[in-house]
Amino acid sequence: MASLEGLLDPENIDKLNALVNPHVIEQVERFVRLCKPTRVSVITDDPEEVAYVRQRALELGEERKLEMEGHTIHYDGFQDQARDKAHTAVLLPEGQTLSRGINSVEREAGLKEVLGLLNGAMKGKEVFVRFFSLGPTNSRFSICALQLTDSAYVAHSEDLLYRSGYEEFKRLEGSPDFFTFIHSAGEIDERNCTVNVEGRRIYVDFMDGKVYSVNNQYAGNSLGLKKLALRLAIYKANQEDWLTEHMLIMGVHPPEKERVTYFAGAYPSACGKTSTAMIPGQSIVGDDIAYLKMDDAGNCRAVNIESGVFGIIRDVNTVDDPLIYKVLQTPREMIFSNVLIAEGRPYWLGMGLEDGEYPTKGVNHSGDWWKGKKDPEGNEIPLAHPNARYTIRLSVLENADPNIDNPDGVVIRGIYYGGRDSDTNVPISESLSWEHGVYLGATIESETTSATLGKRGVRTSSPMAVMDFMVVPLGLYLSNHIKFGRNLRNCPKVYATNYFLKHEGEYTNEKVDKKVWILWAEGRVHGEYPAIRTPIGYLPLYDDLRGLFRRVFDREYSQEEYDQQFSVRVDNYLEKISRMEEVFRDEPKMPEEFWAVLEAQKGELLNLKAQTGKTVLKPSFFM
Ligand code: SPV
Ligand code: MN
């Protein structure tokens, strides 16, 4: 292709030409001309070329070696430690509208702005041209992804988190059906951190299957394949007949039985998503993003689009996360980000050390750090950022499921939804129908504050834990969800979980108890446990939970605990319903099924209240 001559050296041109895809050539040419890197490196699936990327991250200083073999540390800028919701926007064509709360900028103006920022952004730098597969290779689920980035760290972490896809691009046979991600960290300082964080922009052009990301490094902002691809895939799925979800996938293994039953699950950040996927005795397929499609037999099947974990490291310790802790203490290729490093060793919050056992100085996300160091606002800088992370391959986990790379995915028999709720939802309930299940997902709430702000925390509505990534009107998304389930011959059962129920300020259950709740759901899928029908859903019987607590933990589970956890808090549910009416009232084109479920539940609860004069009803009332 003549147009690449002079832009790339012949060896790189050959690698691109071998894909026989004019659309790939077109994108590479266009963005190399725009961003003006000094060097272009096209990386195939060849392990030597992949290893070169990590080598460059070390040479450029974007990663540094730690004491343990294979471990490296990467720092994002002090102001670039989490997803930047304010500067992430959908490029919206004229005349189209989205839901409240979805950031958008007018498409033409947004393109002009971000292409302006990318113009010459890679001067003096090397750009890595990468090919990945979102989902297992050779699978009808998967989508090809082209990534151009001037950050060797970004390109390297994508090797840990995604499947190589150069060969996959050949299977496209010249089709333009792939996503493109353009990323530049922009100007960087002596610590290799973005200088111009004010100019940070992440713009999603769903019409063109592209995301532009500039002036940032934090993975949630920079890695095309993570939350940027999630947005493009949500758009694509909603134009077609499948689902893209911010969901874990796990195999649930009941004790003393041979079977495994696969579940998906959506939880807002910090509401127990990774810890659910990592419940001891179960197997993990994925902890963040799933594509769900119907198979020929009418089953719901899902794949994890990732092959790694970009996990919060805070509170990973031998008690709460023994499997991950062990991985982090073993030599292997992995990346720590934004933790404290002292004498070549990583330290993070909640790793199980006493205060006095932590180093009092070292290097962290703020640069040189010492105990008591303050930020420009005068706040003390913690030894590691609360959102510090580890990046590992899923396959290194002892509980990795054997079907991780199965191109047909796994059959999903159940879906968990969970929020953070101190006083309303029971620990586990089953939806009365698929439509009620979609309602349960749509009405997830998460409490943002602790007891200091009063008896009840401030609640944020977090439909399907996906609003941060939503690029279509919520009403359309929910309608498609309902349609998807109705088309299935074997529709998954849906469960609302709540690990955070409190009584007089104390959690009513232990952290590990979630294992019992998810096992009860697994049994329900197989018709093993009868349940109590209530207006809020099917509830477990006391005897079944008592049996599970005995078998799983060898622990007594009392009738009092059960009554406290599983009583229907009528008033609190009615309050939640009012909040939901408020949230969804002005949402255009909400599916009528949503309102039907809400009205039915409200009617039943109001009747019960009128009949009994009570605001809290024990499960036995409904038997
Ligand atoms: C989340 O916050 O949902 C994450 C981490 O999975 S991030 O990559 O920042 O999105
Ligand atoms: Mn996530």
Side-chain angles (χ1 to χ4, degrees):
M1 301 273 157
S3 57
L4 289 175
E5 252 167 59
L7 271 188
L8 276 70
D9 65 35
E11 195 194 334
N12 282 311
I13 295 180
D14 285 349
K15 289 186 208 167
L16 291 180
N17 284 341
L19 296 174
V20 204
N21 192 320
H23 307 284
V24 171
I25 307 268
E26 193 186 303
Q27 301 303 333
V28 174
E29 188 203 341
R30 180 170 164 216
F31 291 107
V32 168
R33 283 193 195 286
L34 178 74
C35 303
K36 305 180 181 62
T38 309
R39 184 162 158 191
V40 182
S41 298
V42 176
I43 310 293
T44 68
D45 299 348
D46 180 337
E48 266 183 41
E49 295 184 25
V50 172
Y52 166 80
V53 176
R54 179 174 184 269
Q55 188 52 37
R56 288 301 287 154
L58 289 165
E59 286 164 8
L60 293 163
E62 287 188 73
E63 290 177 40
R64 275 182 297 121
K65 285 191 177 176
L66 298 180
E67 183 184 73
M68 203 169 279
E69 180 66 31
H71 292 195
T72 55
I73 172 75
H74 162 81
Y75 290 110
D76 300 306
F78 192 66
Q79 307 292 346
D80 188 27
Q81 294 285 324
R83 278 191 275 116
D84 181 359
K85 297 186 199 182
H87 295 105
T88 302
V90 176
L91 296 176
L92 201 60
E94 234 180 81
Q96 287 199 31
T97 51
L98 292 171
S99 301
R100 236 180 337 148
I102 304 180
N103 278 347
S104 64
V105 297
E106 194 274 311
R107 184 166 183 262
E108 291 310 315
L111 276 175
K112 200 166 161 216
E113 181 191 11
V114 78
L115 293 175
L117 289 166
L118 283 167
N119 190 350
M122 299 182 186
K123 274 185 189 159
K125 297 208 231 173
E126 175 173 3
V127 67
F128 300 89
V129 180
R130 305 297 320 264
F131 303 91
F132 293 103
S133 174
L134 291 160
T137 53
N138 223 345
S139 159
R140 72 181 184 98
F141 285 89
S142 301
I143 299 176
C144 284
L146 169 65
Q147 168 88 66
L148 271 72
T149 176
D150 62 7
S151 163
Y153 154 73
V154 166
H156 174 217
S157 53
E158 286 182 333
D159 277 316
L160 292 168
L161 294 173
Y162 304 94
R163 294 140 178 125
S164 302
Y166 179 79
E167 294 303 319
E168 211 47 24
F169 265 77
K170 289 185 181 164
R171 275 187 214 115
L172 280 176
E173 295 181 342
S175 148
D177 196 10
F178 58 88
F179 293 154
T180 303
F181 304 100
I182 311 298
H183 168 256
S184 172
E187 190 191 332
I188 49 177
D189 62 18
E190 65 291 345
R191 302 186 67 227
N192 291 295
C193 294
T194 293
V195 173
N196 179 19
V197 273
E198 273 78 57
R200 179 169 50 199
R201 295 292 178 275
I202 299 123
Y203 284 174
V204 182
D205 191 8
F206 59 72
M207 284 183 70
D208 197 22
K210 277 197 190 67
V211 183
Y212 304 92
S213 172
V214 62
N215 292 319
N216 65 72
Q217 289 157 314
Y218 172 72
N221 297 319
S222 61
L223 261 71
L225 280 82
K226 203 167 189 52
K227 292 314 191 324
L228 315 189
L230 170 60
R231 295 176 173 98
L232 292 180
I234 286 177
Y235 181 79
K236 191 171 163 71
N238 277 279
Q239 303 301 304
E240 300 171 4
D241 58 358
W242 51 286
L243 304 179
T244 296
E245 299 301 320
H246 188 207
M247 280 182 176
L248 66 85
I249 306 171
M250 67 187 293
V252 181
H253 302 250
E256 299 140 24
K257 296 209 171 78
E258 288 301 305
R259 68 177 186 236
V260 50
T261 312
Y262 291 97
F263 279 70
Y267 297 76
S269 286
C271 289
K273 191 173 173 204
T274 303
S275 66
T276 300
M278 291 294 297
I279 292 175
Q282 321 308 310
S283 53
I284 182 169
V285 181
D287 84 324
D288 204 28
I289 303 169
Y291 292 169
L292 294 86
K293 291 188 176 179
M294 180 167 82
D295 69 11
D296 293 339
N299 293 310
C300 171
R301 284 181 174 268
V303 296
N304 175 11
I305 71 123
E306 308 189 290
S307 60
V309 180
F310 176 61
I312 297 182
I313 200 165
R314 181 179 193 166
D315 293 336
V316 172
N317 54 56
T318 51
V319 177
D320 295 321
D321 263 314
L323 295 182
I324 293 177
Y325 189 83
K326 194 169 144 195
V327 164
L328 302 186
Q329 302 289 354
T330 317
R332 60 168 39 84
E333 182 182 354
M334 55 162 290
I335 309 170
F336 290 89
S337 43
N338 306 318
V339 298
L340 175 71
I341 303 295
E343 289 171 19
R345 283 189 220 131
Y347 296 88
W348 57 90
L349 302 169
M351 70 188 289
L353 297 180
E354 298 296 324
D355 257 1
E357 295 175 307
Y358 279 107
T360 52
K361 59 182 197 315
V363 173
N364 74 2
H365 58 291
S366 72
D368 283 332
W369 176 87
W370 55 93
K371 200 177 161 76
K373 184 179 180 184
K374 303 241 163 73
D375 69 14
E377 270 91 59
N379 303 309
E380 191 163 328
I381 300 172
L383 67 105
H385 196 277
N387 193 33
R389 301 262 171 169
Y390 58 87
T391 304
I392 57 171
R393 294 197 170 91
L394 260 170
S395 56
V396 305
L397 291 169
E398 271 171 31
N399 57 335
D401 189 272
N403 278 310
I404 280 181
D405 289 316
N406 188 338
D408 294 324
V410 295
V411 174
I412 298 295
R413 305 289 306 273
I415 297 174
Y416 301 122
Y417 288 114
R420 181 180 283 268
D421 162 13
S422 60
D423 65 7
T424 307
N425 271 328
V426 296
I428 182 109
S429 59
E430 181 184 295
S431 77
L432 300 171
S433 63
W434 170 252
E435 291 76 11
H436 181 220
V438 174
Y439 173 90
L440 291 178
T443 57
I444 293 176
E445 292 180 290
S446 167
E447 278 167 30
T448 52
T449 54
S450 61
T452 49
L453 277 186
K455 203 169 86 206
R456 297 227 180 114
V458 174
R459 291 167 216 252
T460 327
S461 147
S462 181
M464 262 88 171
V466 84
M467 284 314 282
D468 282 354
F469 318 106
M470 193 54 86
V471 293
V472 299
L474 185 56
L476 172 75
Y477 166 86
L478 293 175
S479 300
N480 285 342
H481 231 94
I482 291 173
K483 210 161 47 180
F484 177 80
R486 282 187 179 163
N487 284 338
L488 295 167
R489 202 164 310 143
N490 302 311
C491 189
K493 286 183 184 286
V494 184
Y495 297 87
T497 68
N498 178 18
Y499 308 146
F500 302 95
L501 187 65
K502 286 185 176 175
H503 180 70
E504 292 173 354
E506 300 287 328
Y507 288 115
T508 62
N509 50 256
E510 293 182 28
K511 266 189 190 174
V512 292
D513 294 359
K514 53 171 90 73
K515 183 166 178 173
V516 165
W517 319 141
I518 64 130
L519 287 173
W520 178 78
E522 196 275 346
R524 281 288 293 168
V525 164
H526 292 277
E528 280 169 7
Y529 303 119
I532 309 166
R533 192 207 175 278
T534 75
I536 60 156
Y538 293 107
L539 305 186
L541 294 177
Y542 167 64
D543 282 343
D544 292 327
L545 293 183
R546 192 178 60 160
L548 276 166
F549 270 99
R550 273 214 193 124
R551 260 181 294 153
V552 175
F553 297 123
D554 196 16
R555 191 168 103 206
E556 241 345 279
Y557 178 66
S558 71
Q559 180 78 46
E560 288 68 42
E561 284 175 272
Y562 171 76
D563 284 342
Q564 192 177 77
Q565 292 166 349
F566 286 92
S567 284
V568 176
R569 285 161 278 270
V570 178
D571 268 356
N572 294 1
Y573 271 101
L574 285 168
E575 278 177 36
K576 172 161 180 159
I577 288 173
S578 315
R579 291 194 297 275
M580 293 303 118
E581 285 172 329
E582 189 69 27
V583 167
F584 291 101
R585 192 173 45 210
D586 298 327
E587 189 62 48
K589 302 211 174 82
M590 278 293 287
E592 58 191 45
E593 292 86 348
F594 174 92
W595 294 117
V597 168
L598 183 144
E599 290 303 337
Q601 201 176 92
K602 185 173 163 181
E604 277 194 62
L605 289 169
L606 284 171
N607 271 343
L608 279 173
K609 199 176 158 179
Q611 274 168 26
T612 62
K614 290 195 174 145
T615 59
V616 177
L617 293 166
K618 285 186 187 172
S620 55
F621 172 85
F622 298 93
M623 290 173 80

